[in-house]
Amino acid sequence: MKKDKDKKKKASLKQTLKNNVFALKTVHKAAPGYIAIYFITSLLNGALWFLEGGYLIRQVVNGLEQGNDINDTLTFVIVLGVFSVSVSLFLQFMYSLVMPVKYRRVDFYIEKKLFQKASEVELRCYDDPEFYDNYVKAMDEASNRVMSVMDSIANLISGLTSLSATSLLLFVIDPWLIVFGVLPLAFGVFKRLDNIAKHSFDVENKKIKRRINYVKRTYYLNDYAKEMRMGGMYGKMLSDLMGTYRSYVELTKKYGVRRAVYGFLQNFGVEVVCTLGATFYSVWQAMVVGGENGGMYVGDCIVVISSISVISSVLGNMVQRLAKFGEDALYIEDIISFLNYEPKLKGGKETIPEDGGRIKVKNLTFSYPGSDEPALKDIDFVWNKGEKLAVVGSNGSGKTTLVKLLLRLYDPDEGQILIDDTDIRNYTLSSYRGAFTTVFQDFKVFSLTVKENVLLREIKDGDDALVKNALVQSGLYEKVESFEKGTDTVLTREFDDRGEVLSVGQQQKLHLARVFAFNSPFVLLDEPSSALDPVAEYKMFENMLKATENKSVVFISHRLSSAVLADRVIMMEKGRIVECGSHNELMRLNGKYAAMFERQAHNYIGSEGGKDE
Ligand code: ADP
């Protein structure tokens, strides 16, 4: 993604053209024919506006004034009426049926492309605030901006059609009238100054809006509901909101006077100089000079009065639309650079052996982007095939980071990870990650059925037995069976009144069911049992280790009572491995692990409920 935002604010003409063409090409690929429909409807709209607005009045009033045959006038009105009704019917059909469907197609096409790219983006990018900002912006704005280009072009076409037809009519009535039509362009300079002031206002207002949105979210999102009900959070957030409104008022005052003056000068130019000028001129031509003496007929005079102000507003609108091309181009640049983003973390070509192998972690050092302190330093160990490894250590010692590197969500700065002497970078990402079943500490439940939540994919025939077996083993089957729709029950009630909400402990069991359902050689469990009490956690690990006899398992737990079950324990501190061995060996060593174990055992026995470190 592009780094320099200020540079981006001055999008060149070439860039503007390129990005707008990109938008049009995208629309064409997503919904062929949409552009043509858009342009035809705009053309017809412009033509209708001209025919019904200026031309009809002129023909009828002049016809009456000049004593033309009434039948000719009526025929003209009827033909125009039939034409207008047919075109309106066609337009309504397009606007209400054809165009919304085409629009959704474009929307879906763009979302699909963005989603595909989003699934390739490495976790490292989420740690980069600038990338993340652009990424969210691209996701939020994509379809709107692409369609905005279409709107602008359509608006220009419709404006140009009505403008050229009306200008031609005015020119035929009296060539001098064109002066009043073109003058608004000169006053457009004030519009331009107003746009610049508005842009500066918007830029400064963005920060305020972000804060307002954040406060609003804390009020209505489930994520904050519990904390918000504690202490004085409502009051605190409300006073924050008041603060943002005060900043908004300040900002409005800062730019308000300037914008009011520009607005007034532009309106004065357009309304007083152009509209009133043209009105005086045409009334004088009609009343004083008269149509028969080379002046204007009454019909011409009415057309001038009704058209001239519209011409200036159409022109003003077109100038604004031209400016919009530049604005859209900046956003589309974000979308293009996001779509062109090449993930640095790339997979190789090989496929991982079906039964996994021995994993060797060699001198691994890793720092998070923007962080000076390495989260992992000189990590060196072997994870034998079928071995159950417990990784323990206090918070922040690097356990989760190790899991992320084992999954290749990040690549190390130094060192490597090998499977039977093959660097994991040689494997395709999908085959490598597919070899792992993972349950994270901050797991998420999707608003999907129980089955889909367990298998994390679309359900196929024959999956029922697999899901049932997994749920039985993880201890959640009885609960799921009590639901009206069993494993077809949707979790969360967001989209289904008959959906169910699981407790945190039940959610963990749901995720653990994956370990039993997935036939993968490696299992990574990052504190999947933190919501269970120590006894339940111990039982759960015991069951799981039995069920994963042939699999290689790494499990993280900050409660050492479960580490007893592992073949080997790795104790981490400040990103380094400080002790490694079986539980008994480490107890005999009487070092850090033994001290931590004793402390936890003492706390647990002392409090019965299990006080964790
Ligand atoms: P543990 O799982 O043992 O609690 P972590 O692996 O989560 O520890 O964290 C190790 C260190 O890395 C900590 O100092 C933590 O603050 C830091 N860290 C973790 N995630 C990130 C991140 N996304 N960006 C920067 N630093 C991080």
Side-chain angles (χ1 to χ4, degrees), residues 248 252 255 289 533 538 594 608:
Y248 180 80
T252 309
Y255 288 100
V289 183
D533 62 65
Y538 183 90
E608 285 195 44

Side-chain angles (χ1 to χ4, degrees), residues 127 368 375 394-401 404 410:
D127 299 325
Y368 283 102
S394 52
N395 283 339
S397 56
K399 305 181 295 292
T400 299
T401 309
K404 288 182 194 164
Y410 292 87

Side-chain angles (χ1 to χ4, degrees), residues 76-177:
F76 170 74
V77 173
I78 291 169
V79 169
L80 196 69
V82 170
F83 177 74
S84 297
V85 170
S86 325
V87 170
S88 294
L89 194 70
F90 171 76
L91 287 179
Q92 286 314 319
F93 177 70
M94 288 291 151
Y95 290 147
S96 314
L97 186 68
V98 179
M99 291 171 83
V101 172
K102 296 258 182 209
Y103 179 87
R104 281 290 143 231
R105 268 204 197 133
V106 176
D107 199 26
F108 178 68
Y109 177 86
I110 297 171
E111 298 292 2
K112 198 170 112 185
K113 278 197 160 269
L114 289 173
F115 285 177
Q116 269 165 356
K117 185 52 78 176
S119 67
E120 294 167 16
V121 165
E122 313 97 312
L123 281 199
R124 184 180 279 275
C125 297
Y126 289 78
D127 299 325
D128 174 352
E130 186 149 12
F131 182 96
Y132 190 71
D133 237 30
N134 285 344
Y135 163 64
V136 171
K137 210 150 45 138
M139 287 301 225
D140 276 355
E141 294 275 347
S143 339
N144 283 348
R145 290 292 164 177
V146 168
M147 288 315 295
S148 165
V149 172
M150 293 272 289
D151 273 339
S152 296
I153 295 178
N155 208 281
L156 282 181
I157 291 180
S158 146
L160 272 176
T161 315
S162 53
L163 197 68
S164 32
T166 312
S167 303
L168 193 68
L169 189 66
L170 291 185
F171 189 78
V172 169
I173 293 172
D174 184 337
W176 282 106
L177 287 170

Side-chain angles (χ1 to χ4, degrees), residues 22-35:
F22 168 86
L24 286 180
K25 276 189 182 160
T26 306
V27 173
H28 176 65
K29 268 191 223 149
Y34 194 16
I35 297 182

